[in-house]
Amino acid sequence: MPVSIRPLTDGLLGGEVSGIDCRRPLDAETVAAVEAGMDRHGVLVFPGQDLTDEQQIAFSRHFGGLERYGTPAHVRKRADERLGPGISDLSNLDKQGRPLGGDDRVWLFKLGDQLWHSDSSFRPVPAKYSLLSARAIPAHGGNTEFADMRAAYDALDEAMKSLVEPLICAHSLMYSRGSLGFTDYTEEELEAFRPVRQRLVRTHPVTGRKSLFLSSHAGAIEGWSIPQARLFLRDLIEHATQREFVYAHVWRLHDLVIWDNRTTMHRARPFDAAAVRDMRRTTLAGDAPTIEQVAAVA
Ligand code: OGA
Ligand code: MN
């Protein structure tokens, strides 16, 4: 069956893919079609993909190497991990498969996923694609929204483009969580969540298009006061997440959604904390720090 992609919005953001069984190995032509779809749409939805963790990992690896960092991106203790290596737990569940509960520290930290962000922008080399698989979904709520950072960049006026072009931000999980009042960390977490530097404007390595590299993990701009930086970033995120730049994905069981973290932001939407929402993510490594990327094309 030939691969086809149906646009999901009036703009370029989002496409729904048919003609691919993600459980089977892909030929080079199919991989190229998906990559071209990602470069065009930023977000691709693959409905009806009932995957095991192993199948999800194998499918993901067609598009690059998995991201592997030695430090966690969350506050769950290793012994309490529900899933094996190579796959991140984006669920609201404990090791026994029960909802974590509204005052669990792991859950309070996870609430930060409901802020607009780009995955691993708090890592020295931020992520390329994320692939999120819906294994169980709540009856209501729990959508994921995506915003097109290329369109958001293009819509800036020339003065604003010049202002943002050279800016370097500091990103940390402590900034996103801190904005929700989550501020208590162990020594180990403080070390793991140390801020990293990222360009605010980045250039896509394939399409050459510029985009805003925004994320709620960004909490400072080099050379700016903190309040001025936070206000500026808050305004930019408001600009970049206007409805015309956003696609809201309403999950169906066994959807697999892939997004390019280099050109989009996303956020989870609220749902009943007592419901089961089992989402599992594979993440592909980016290829260079954004600081170097921009320097190379400048
Ligand atoms: C993620 C994420 C949002 C969601 O997988 O990186 O932010 O809706 N998920 O679960
Ligand atoms: Mn995310």
Side-chain angles (χ1 to χ4, degrees), residues 75 91 93 167 180 200 205 259:
V75 297
S91 78
L93 306 174
L167 297 181
L180 299 179
L200 183 50
W259 60 89

Side-chain angles (χ1 to χ4, degrees), residues 90-91 113-115 117 119 130-132 142-145 251 259 261 266-269 271 277 279-281 283:
L90 271 290
S91 78
D113 290 336
Q114 295 182 27
L115 297 168
H117 65 281
D119 290 335
S130 294
L131 302 89
L132 191 62
N143 296 346
T144 306
E145 295 181 345
W251 290 94
W259 60 89
N261 288 293
H266 61 280
R267 65 172 177 177
R269 301 303 289 145
F271 60 97
R277 185 173 188 264
M279 313 294 285
R280 303 187 186 194
R281 193 183 87 197
T283 316

Side-chain angles (χ1 to χ4, degrees), residues 8 11 22 54 140 157 185 192 223 276:
L8 289 168
C22 301
E54 291 69 30
H140 306 285
D157 64 25
Y185 299 100
V276 171

Side-chain angles (χ1 to χ4, degrees), residues 7 27 80 83 102 115 130-131 134 148 158 162-163 180 197 238 254 261 286:
D27 58 29
D80 296 331
L83 308 178
L115 297 168
S130 294
L131 302 89
D148 189 337
E158 291 309 314
S162 312
L163 178 60
L180 299 179
R197 303 169 74 220
E238 196 174 306
H254 299 146
N261 288 293

Side-chain angles (χ1 to χ4, degrees), residues 22-226:
C22 301
R23 293 168 305 187
R24 303 196 180 284
L26 305 185
D27 58 29
E29 200 184 325
T30 307
V31 171
V34 172
E35 283 176 341
M38 287 298 291
D39 288 344
R40 181 169 173 80
H41 296 290
V43 179
L44 290 179
V45 177
F46 297 70
Q49 307 290 340
D50 184 3
L51 302 173
T52 64
D53 291 355
E54 291 69 30
Q55 287 166 339
Q56 183 174 342
I57 289 170
F59 177 76
S60 304
R61 289 176 52 83
H62 286 109
F63 309 103
L66 296 184
E67 184 177 76
R68 288 195 193 281
Y69 280 103
T71 53
H74 53 72
V75 297
R76 201 193 287 258
K77 294 200 173 56
R78 203 173 285 276
D80 296 331
E81 296 275 5
R82 209 169 58 96
L83 308 178
I87 193 140
S88 306
D89 192 357
L90 271 290
S91 78
N92 63 330
L93 306 174
D94 66 16
K95 207 172 178 178
Q96 284 70 42
R98 294 174 306 220
L100 286 162
D103 53 5
D104 185 290
R105 185 167 185 265
V106 172
W107 173 243
L108 295 175
F109 190 83
K110 275 178 175 292
L111 284 175
D113 290 336
Q114 295 182 27
L115 297 168
W116 285 108
H117 65 281
S118 175
D119 290 335
S120 296
S121 76
F122 52 86
R123 301 288 198 184
V125 177
K128 181 187 174 191
Y129 298 168
S130 294
L131 302 89
L132 191 62
S133 159
R135 309 293 178 86
I137 53 172
H140 306 285
N143 296 346
T144 306
E145 295 181 345
F146 298 91
D148 189 337
M149 295 301 102
R150 305 165 299 182
Y153 174 83
D154 289 347
L156 298 175
D157 64 25
E158 291 309 314
M160 193 58 136
K161 282 181 181 158
S162 312
L163 178 60
V164 293
E165 181 74 33
L167 297 181
I168 293 173
C169 300
H171 292 235
S172 166
L173 283 163
M174 288 189 291
Y175 293 140
S176 48
R177 273 55 188 175
S179 75
L180 299 179
F182 188 111
T183 49
D184 291 334
Y185 299 100
T186 64
E187 283 301 315
E188 205 179 337
E189 287 162 358
L190 287 174
E191 179 63 25
F193 302 159
R194 270 216 310 256
V196 303
R197 303 169 74 220
Q198 304 290 1
R199 289 270 181 191
L200 183 50
V201 177
R202 62 189 301 183
T203 305
H204 194 280
V206 178
T207 66
R209 278 191 74 176
K210 286 189 177 178
S211 59
L212 284 173
F213 193 36
L214 286 168
S215 189
S216 297
H217 305 311
I221 301 174
E222 288 183 8
W224 292 38
S225 70
I226 291 287

